[in-house]
Amino acid sequence: GIGLVPFSPLGKGFLTGTVDESFQFTEKDIRTSIPRFSQENIRANRALISLLEEIAARKGATTAQIALSWLLAQKSWIVPIPGTRRIERLEENIGATSVELTGDDQREINEAATKIPVQGERYPEALERMTGL
């Protein structure tokens, strides 16, 4: 019954709400090469995170849980599998299945997403060519 497993459903950590312009990536972190993670683009893209943070506060959830819950609410055959290195993040991600997004919540996210242009490419040009998109 799974029709789509979204790749990087938390936007390489961006949708967790923990990445801002002051975030320090390690030298080996691939995000240092991704245009979307430049300080300028992070600043511009925080508008969507601010909305997710507001909804998360209302729901007693985390920003990551709201992002995952939104994906789960789209279609029953969409099954996000976020990567993680820590058990506490795995538990947090699993908690997204308990977050109830109302139709109004979903509309609020959808409307905001159409009005907030995402800044920065997903990958550097050479890697983007390899995706075939």
Side-chain angles (χ1 to χ4, degrees), residues 15 47-57 62-63 66-67 70 109:
L15 295 176
L48 182 57
I49 299 306
S50 294
L51 170 67
L52 296 179
E53 288 170 340
E54 288 175 26
I55 295 171
T62 67
T63 305
I66 298 299
W70 178 85
I109 294 168

Side-chain angles (χ1 to χ4, degrees), residues 76-90:
S76 62
W77 42 264
I78 295 177
V79 182
I81 303 175
T84 185
R85 293 185 184 104
R86 298 188 201 134
I87 193 74
E88 64 267 17
R89 292 294 169 240
L90 175 62

Side-chain angles (χ1 to χ4, degrees), residues 39-108:
Q39 286 185 347
E40 174 183 308
N41 290 332
I42 287 173
R43 190 176 308 111
N45 295 330
R46 288 280 307 163
L48 182 57
I49 299 306
S50 294
L51 170 67
L52 296 179
E53 288 170 340
E54 288 175 26
I55 295 171
R58 291 194 312 248
K59 299 289 181 180
T62 67
T63 305
Q65 289 173 328
I66 298 299
L68 293 171
S69 293
W70 178 85
L71 268 174
L72 291 167
Q74 300 310 297
K75 300 285 183 191
S76 62
W77 42 264
I78 295 177
V79 182
I81 303 175
T84 185
R85 293 185 184 104
R86 298 188 201 134
I87 193 74
E88 64 267 17
R89 292 294 169 240
L90 175 62
E91 291 167 349
E92 175 185 358
N93 295 340
I94 290 170
T97 62
S98 299
V99 176
E100 296 285 336
L101 291 181
T102 66
D104 287 342
D105 295 329
Q106 292 178 55
R107 275 188 293 286
E108 187 177 5

